[in-house]
Every structure is written in C-alpha cells, then in structure tokens.
Amino acid sequence: MTTLRSVVLVEGASDRVALLTLAERRGRDLASEGIEVVPMGGITNTRAFASHYGPLGLGLPLAGLYDAGDEARVRHGLAAAGLAAALERRGPSGLGFHRCSADLEDELIRALGVERVEAVIETAGESRSLRLLAGMPAQRGWPRGAVLRRFLGARSGRKARYAALLVEALDPDLAPEPLSAVLARV
C-alpha cells in the first residue's frame, strides 16, 4: 500500500481523467507515487476538500486545477482552509493551483486545434451528433471552437470520455500549461 503524500484537487471527473491520462503518457503512475487526484464535485467544494486534505486536516501538500471564472471562489476556499497565501498577489498559482483560461475543454481544443479535435470526434463515431448540434439555430454562427466546447459538455459522461481521447491525441510535451504545471508540482 502506497502512502498518500500529495493531493490534487480538481473540479470534476474530466479534469481527473485528463491529469491521469497525461501523467500516464509521460510515464508516471500517480497512485504508485502517492498522489491522489480528487474530483470535488464542483468548485464550490474547494474549502471542504482543502480543509480535509490540507493544513487544517491531513496536512498534505495540495495542488489543483480550476477554471478562470472560478478564481475568486478558489482563492477564498483555499484561504478559509488555512492557506492564506491564496489571497496574495500570486494567489492560487503560488500554492500549485493552476487556472485554465476558460476551462479544461478550451485548453484542450486550443492545444490540439479545431481540426484535430473534430478528427478525434469523428474517430469516436460522433461526428453526426456534432454536425446536428452545429446546425441548431442557437449554435449557428458560433465559432467552431465554441461549438466544440458545447458539444463536449452536452451529454453526461462526454467530458470525461473526451478528456482521455483528446489528451491521448496530444503530443505529451505540448500539453496545456495548467495540466503540465500541476504535474510538475506533484
């Protein structure tokens, strides 16, 4: 049994899948290294999870991923969990919590490019669903990247499925900065 030595807090299952997949592609087995990637079931749970695992709880080093729009919640949740440095200028990044520009899906789409993401969707057998979504009145005129983000979040389980498929399609050395930064931290 491996001793737990560090915890990575992420919003949900797709973030966990992406980190584990990238770590594996880089030759790492986080579980055997004593690193647990914990999906919190939403960013509003940052305080509870950071309190449990961090300095007020188990005292383990923490790292994490979050979406840019959630930075204030992350800062305040970490500070309330005993990590006051989250409120300083460097904020969460100084503690190993790295911000995705919009969200994980946006980072992966930008890293791969729209055409490669569409190719992954085609290989997965869902290009018809993507075309149907893109043709709906609400999405007409949207940039292709925005339609892809909507597609990835439109069906239960799709984000996690594509997190793995898109990370598998990446050159592991050209992964989005937030994912790479978290793995470099732990």
Side-chain angles (χ1 to χ4, degrees):
M1 178 181 211
T2 305
T3 302
L4 187 59
R5 66 173 190 83
S6 185
V7 172
V8 178
L9 300 177
V10 295
E11 184 176 358
S14 61
D15 304 284
R16 181 178 190 275
V17 168
L19 279 168
L20 293 175
T21 303
L22 182 58
E24 182 179 318
R25 297 222 39 233
R26 289 182 173 175
R28 293 183 65 189
D29 178 352
L30 297 183
S32 71
E33 294 176 33
I35 301 163
E36 186 173 351
V37 181
V38 178
M40 298 183 293
I43 207 67
T44 58
N45 295 320
T46 300
R47 177 184 179 173
F49 280 84
S51 292
H52 174 74
Y53 290 106
L56 301 178
L58 298 176
L60 295 167
L62 301 176
L65 281 177
Y66 64 95
D67 300 343
D70 294 324
E71 183 157 343
R73 285 186 183 104
V74 171
R75 282 178 178 270
H76 294 294
L78 292 173
L83 296 162
L87 299 176
E88 295 173 4
R89 188 181 63 76
R90 285 192 61 213
S93 67
L95 296 169
F97 283 76
H98 297 278
R99 177 181 65 218
C100 294
S101 60
D103 55 24
L104 174 65
E105 293 73 29
D106 178 61
E107 293 283 352
L108 292 171
I109 291 166
R110 284 187 303 110
L112 281 167
V114 169
E115 291 79 17
R116 287 186 61 203
V117 172
E118 289 173 345
V120 169
I121 292 168
E122 184 168 340
T123 300
E126 290 199 277
S127 57
R128 182 176 182 276
S129 294
L130 175 60
R131 281 193 309 277
L132 288 172
L133 176 70
M136 291 182 174
Q139 279 73 238
R140 284 190 202 135
W142 282 18
R144 287 168 56 198
V147 172
L148 289 171
R149 282 183 61 215
R150 174 73 177 105
F151 172 81
L152 294 173
R155 182 174 293 155
S156 178
R158 190 179 273 162
K159 278 186 177 186
R161 176 181 184 214
Y162 280 96
L165 294 173
L166 296 175
V167 171
E168 297 260 346
L170 280 171
D171 176 330
D173 295 325
L174 299 176
E177 177 59 28
L179 292 171
S180 293
V182 168
L183 288 178
R185 175 79 178 217
V186 295

